[in-house]
Amino acid sequence: MRGDEGDGRGQVWRSRRYRWDLRWSPYAFVAPFFLFFAAFGLFPLLYTGWAALHQVELTDPDSMTWVGLRNFTRLWDDEFFWNALRNTVTIGLLSTVPQLAIALGLAHLLNYKLRGSAFFRVAVLTPYATSVAAATLVFVLLFGRDYGMVNWALSTVGFDAVDWQNGTFASQLAVSTIVIWRWTGYNALIYLAAMQAVPGELYESAALDGASRLQQFIHVTVPSLRPTIFFTCVVSTIGATQLFGEPLLFNGGAGATGGSDHQFQTLGLYLYEQGWVNLHLGRASAIAWAMFLILLVIAGAARLLRGREASR
Amino acid sequence: MRARRNLVTTAGLLGAAAVLLAGCAQDPAETPGKGAPAGGKGQTTLTVGVFGAFGLQEAGLYDEYMAQNPGIRIEQTSIERNENYYPQLLTHLGTGSGLADIQAVEVNNIAEITSTQADKLVDLGKAPGVDKASYLPWKWAQGTASAAKGGATVGLGTDIGPQGICYRKDLFEAAGLPGDRAAVGALWAGDWNKYLEAGKAYKAKAGEGKAFVDSASGVMAAVTGSSAQRFYDEQGKVVYKTNPAVRGAFDLAASFATEGLSAKLQQFTPAWDQGFANGTFATVSCPAWMLGYIQDKAGPAGKDKWDVAPAPKPSNWGGSFLVVPKAGKHAEEAAKLAAWLTAPAQQAKLFEKRGSFPSASAAYKLPTVSGAQHAYFGGAPIGEIFAKAAEGIPVTVVGPKDLVIAQNLADIGMLQVDQKGRSPQEGWEAAVKAINNALDQ
């Protein structure tokens, strides 16, 4: 009797433990992520939100003076902020649009049967694996005014030397080039993966209908890739909004000004300048939150656009 | 950026290591610091945080001190750029953690440190072995907090940046100017305007594509470095806008650009380095610490072509301090080390090995300084030239935001004039606007 009872209790205990295990273990397994997220994601987010409502200097982060929304409202009159926003948008467009177009074309080429395809697929990804610092420093040399290779090439075909760092459009184009160079291969591989999921029959029937390779690309590949294209657009937009390393290093010794006329100062750079050069923690936090809100607005707009497209 | 990320990683690893070691330590009271041999005699590890190639380690000073003090081990962490190093130092001082036992501070930041952080730092003026009389009075004053803030000397001066004019002898002679350094110095002695005149004379003969100076902002830094009052007045008010010395320096430097005497380069960029190698410009205002840089960039081909002459007026550009945070575990030992590192004998060694010019004037009498010659610069008596400049530098009023003001004047205002061809007035206004924004006015 006793033994049975004990056995029964043991069984109950075991099965209960089994149920708990089933129920709670997954939470234990994912907990580290959420703990780290809380420490390094959520806390900074909330803290910068709090700091944005204060006047606080990095030299003395303990003394905060409550200023309400002043750090945000003053952004309306802050010409440096609007300049940075404008630059972020133009550099974003200058880099994202060609980047995705080239990536789509590259992916289409990689999708052909070709010898050593694995090599080419790895090769397009190498710029992505290069550090921003190293890549940018090389590009700074290429775009040098006096001894740069780009200007040398231009001069051989009869063009005047361009001052890549000082011209507004020239400098933004140069910065965009670095971004394009780094991210095109990455996007190309994403497109390639999506292309390989497109059913072969679609191409076969298109070919039977007499569609050329180009027509197949436009009428079969691109429509099938629409969700992927949307995804890469979102990711690139977020990347473009946060653009920082390339313009920072493109400016040689001058730090976060983004050129003598702030001609390529992005929002990320302006945030850095306010926070880490001028040491205004509160104002920098407000810019960070403004960037976050801008991204939310863009995301909302994209959702609306998607919704309309889906209902069509 | 890379340096910063490395530091974060290193700091993380060190933090983790410290936690582990603290857990293992047998007797934390007896064996402070990591790397203490378990159960053995206590050894103290002192950490020194610096930016760039500071030179203390490279000149062998740490090794020498460790040999003299067997109980001490010195470790150095370095962050390449001061723009990355300094904000981190501030946040660490703010939280009282993550600090090295000794931290380096750049001269442009020292006023902010003495006026906002003095209470977190050890008064080194009272440290054993520190003798006020052996330092240049203006350097000592810069490291000392105002009486209202307690009057403690929290920063001990390391090097300073007395300036000369480095010039290309061969280019000068080809343009009909004298090549001998005494005669070159006499060309512009006592007046920066004469430097401009010499530039015009040079340009008249040198022809197209040859510039007299590397950049207008280099000239501006040199001219502002020679005035006692710059961006702040004695009361700590920002006066750069109305100070004729600053506006005068800006306009004078701008005329180098408008007269076509500038190579329109930005200092410390790859293009500037290439300019040295290609002989694009004939002169550059050079603080003592820049000689090694020029030698490095101009390479063997420039040997015996470069020379150095006295600047029109004694002027200072750059230099550093050592501070000891109170939050450090070994503040007392650290103060002793800081005093030793900045003593005249060690500063003379640093000059001999690394070319950092001593701020301890007592070192100028030592033969390694007074007799120093620079082989690359035609055997120029640099000890004599720079010591004379150092002693003539006025007691400069430094303010907490000197760096921000100087940076915007150079990288916004002067660069617009020099590289974008804007008028000096437009450049000035752009700089003022940027400075107003930076100073939160």
Side-chain angles (χ1 to χ4, degrees):
Chain A
M1 274 306 263
R2 245 171 203 219
D4 282 345
E5 206 185 8
D7 237 334
R9 217 185 295 150
Q11 226 159 26
V12 168
W13 173 240
R14 254 202 310 268
S15 75
R16 192 178 296 163
R17 223 174 44 177
Y18 178 72
R19 262 187 294 128
W20 283 348
D21 184 29
L22 211 61
R23 188 148 175 211
W24 298 111
S25 291
Y27 292 100
F29 291 142
V30 294
F33 169 80
F34 284 97
L35 287 177
F36 275 99
F37 175 74
F40 297 105
L42 197 62
F43 171 72
L45 191 75
L46 297 177
Y47 181 77
T48 46
W50 183 240
L53 302 173
H54 293 78
Q55 186 184 7
V56 50
E57 296 294 290
L58 201 60
T59 44
D60 192 7
D62 292 336
S63 73
M64 289 180 157
T65 326
W66 176 265
V67 290
L69 290 174
R70 187 165 149 262
N71 283 329
F72 289 97
T73 51
R74 70 188 295 174
L75 287 180
W76 286 111
D77 310 318
D78 186 347
E79 57 177 293
F80 296 104
F81 174 76
W82 290 107
N83 172 62
L85 182 59
R86 211 163 36 236
N87 291 345
T88 309
V89 171
T90 47
I91 295 177
L93 287 175
L94 273 176
S95 58
T96 309
V97 175
Q99 179 195 136
L100 295 182
I102 299 170
L104 205 54
L106 258 181
H108 183 64
L109 293 179
L110 284 173
N111 203 18
Y112 282 112
K113 276 200 174 58
L114 76 171
R115 216 178 290 251
S117 61
F119 167 77
F120 289 109
R121 284 170 195 181
V122 173
V124 295
L125 202 61
T126 41
Y128 172 65
T130 318
S131 93
V132 197
T136 308
L137 290 178
V138 172
F139 274 88
V140 168
L141 285 176
L142 291 181
F143 282 111
R145 183 192 60 192
D146 296 338
Y147 306 105
M149 215 156 84
V150 176
N151 275 346
W152 169 80
L154 284 178
S155 71
T156 56
V157 289
F159 285 102
D160 282 339
V162 177
D163 192 348
W164 290 104
Q165 219 151 29
N166 278 301
T168 305
F169 179 71
S171 62
Q172 297 191 351
L173 192 67
V175 171
S176 305
T177 315
I178 311 172
V179 181
I180 293 171
W181 180 80
R182 277 197 77 223
W183 289 91
T184 301
Y186 171 82
N187 286 310
L189 281 201
I190 293 180
Y191 286 148
L192 179 63
M195 273 177 197
Q196 290 182 336
V198 178
E201 300 90 66
L202 289 179
Y203 290 104
E204 277 168 30
S205 55
L208 280 177
D209 290 342
S212 70
R213 283 279 199 184
L214 184 68
Q215 284 169 326
Q216 289 178 22
F217 175 70
I218 294 169
H219 296 291
V220 179
T221 313
V222 173
S224 319
L225 253 52
R226 195 168 282 153
T228 316
I229 294 174
F230 181 74
F231 167 76
T232 53
C233 282
V234 170
V235 171
S236 304
T237 308
I238 294 175
T241 313
Q242 297 174 337
L243 189 64
F244 173 71
E246 288 88 349
L248 177 75
L249 293 164
F250 192 65
N251 195 18
T257 57
S260 60
D261 213 5
H262 304 277
Q263 66 266 27
F264 53 96
Q265 185 174 49
T266 57
L267 281 176
L269 270 194
Y270 187 50
L271 157 72
Y272 181 79
E273 191 186 25
Q274 280 297 344
W276 298 94
V277 180
N278 302 335
L279 311 175
H280 305 314
L281 189 57
R283 289 179 67 187
S285 304
I287 298 169
W289 267 82
M291 284 169 71
F292 181 55
L293 295 178
I294 289 169
L295 275 179
L296 284 186
V297 169
I298 296 175
R303 225 185 126 93
L304 275 179
L305 219 75
R306 276 288 279 172
R308 202 183 304 154
E309 197 171 274
S311 68
R312 200 167 44 179
Chain B
M1 255 4 286
R2 199 179 35 196
R4 166 185 219 98
R5 201 170 305 141
N6 276 345
L7 189 97
V8 171
T9 324
T10 323
L13 287 174
L14 283 179
V19 168
L20 286 176
L21 283 162
C24 297
Q26 305 266 318
D27 185 358
E30 281 294 308
T31 57
K34 55 190 177 329
K41 207 176 76 175
Q43 201 187 31
T44 309
T45 301
L46 295 176
T47 50
V48 183
V50 300
F51 51 89
F54 209 72
L56 296 171
Q57 186 163 41
E58 293 85 342
L61 294 181
Y62 297 159
D63 289 336
E64 196 181 331
Y65 191 78
M66 285 190 276
Q68 289 173 12
N69 302 273
I72 303 282
R73 241 160 54 80
I74 304 173
E75 278 173 15
Q76 177 178 292
T77 53
S78 175
I79 296 183
E80 172 108 59
R81 296 174 70 104
N82 188 45
E83 298 102 273
N84 300 332
Y85 167 86
Y86 179 64
Q88 209 157 55
L89 173 61
L90 284 179
T91 48
H92 287 167
L93 280 170
T95 56
S97 65
L99 289 157
D101 294 300
I102 295 180
Q103 295 273 0
V105 177
E106 220 261 342
V107 62
N108 279 312
N109 302 125
I110 192 69
E112 191 160 54
I113 291 288
T114 56
S115 63
T116 66
Q117 312 288 328
D119 56 327
K120 303 190 180 84
L121 299 169
V122 173
D123 184 355
L124 296 174
K126 299 191 186 106
V130 175
D131 179 16
K132 183 180 175 182
S134 63
Y135 287 89
L136 288 166
W138 57 269
K139 184 78 173 178
W140 183 269
Q142 287 177 343
T144 306
S146 66
K149 300 276 179 187
T153 301
V154 295
L156 288 180
T158 57
D159 61 323
I160 53 171
Q163 304 209 58
I165 303 286
C166 293
Y167 67 100
R168 282 278 297 259
K169 213 172 0 191
D170 57 330
L171 296 179
F172 262 51
E173 280 165 355
L177 294 173
D180 174 62
R181 69 182 73 91
V184 169
L187 273 183
W188 48 62
D191 190 352
W192 285 102
N193 278 307
K194 289 194 199 163
Y195 184 49
L196 179 66
E197 293 308 318
K200 287 180 188 164
Y202 174 83
K203 197 204 169 195
K205 286 257 188 91
E208 274 308 296
K210 287 285 175 196
F212 184 63
V213 296
D214 61 319
S215 66
S217 52
V219 177
M220 186 175 62
V223 183
T224 42
S226 60
S227 59
Q229 197 186 69
R230 298 185 303 178
F231 311 137
Y232 284 79
D233 67 5
E234 283 81 354
Q235 283 74 47
K237 230 180 87 203
V238 180
V239 294
Y240 78 95
K241 258 182 267 188
T242 50
N243 184 356
V246 175
R247 188 62 204 259
F250 188 90
D251 287 340
L252 177 70
S255 24
F256 279 83
T258 50
E259 296 282 344
L261 306 179
S262 157
K264 303 177 187 301
L265 295 165
Q266 194 176 3
Q267 296 196 320
F268 301 102
T269 59
W272 190 58
D273 298 348
Q274 288 165 333
F276 280 115
N278 294 321
T280 317
F281 44 84
T283 68
V284 54
S285 347
C286 54
W289 46 261
M290 204 189 270
L291 297 189
Y293 190 91
I294 296 174
Q295 176 175 0
D296 197 29
K297 298 302 173 190
K303 190 171 179 341
D304 293 329
K305 288 184 180 158
W306 281 98
D307 209 319
V308 53
K313 280 184 179 177
S315 156
N316 185 62
W317 179 10
S320 299
F321 295 83
L322 296 181
V323 302
V324 174
K326 280 179 185 163
K329 277 199 203 102
H330 319 291
E332 205 174 307
E333 287 293 338
K336 246 187 258 171
L337 173 60
W340 185 84
L341 286 172
T342 54
Q346 276 63 250
Q347 291 207 15
K349 264 175 229 155
L350 197 62
F351 173 67
E352 194 189 349
K353 300 257 173 61
R354 303 284 306 172
S356 306
F357 205 77
S359 64
S361 43
Y364 300 165
K365 293 179 206 81
L366 301 174
T368 44
V369 179
S370 64
Q373 297 189 333
H374 205 301
Y376 187 85
F377 288 81
I382 52 170
E384 206 184 300
I385 293 175
F386 289 123
K388 205 168 158 221
E391 280 161 351
I393 293 166
V395 182
T396 324
V397 184
V398 290
K401 295 293 180 187
D402 269 11
L403 184 63
V404 170
I405 297 173
Q407 228 168 31
N408 280 308
L409 281 176
D411 294 335
I412 303 292
M414 195 48 72
L415 207 62
Q416 286 197 6
V417 179
D418 206 8
Q419 296 197 339
K420 298 199 78 156
R422 298 263 171 84
S423 76
Q425 184 61 27
E426 283 173 315
W428 175 263
E429 280 163 9
V432 167
K433 214 185 276 176
I435 294 168
N436 281 345
N437 185 41
L439 299 187
D440 218 353
Q441 282 176 336

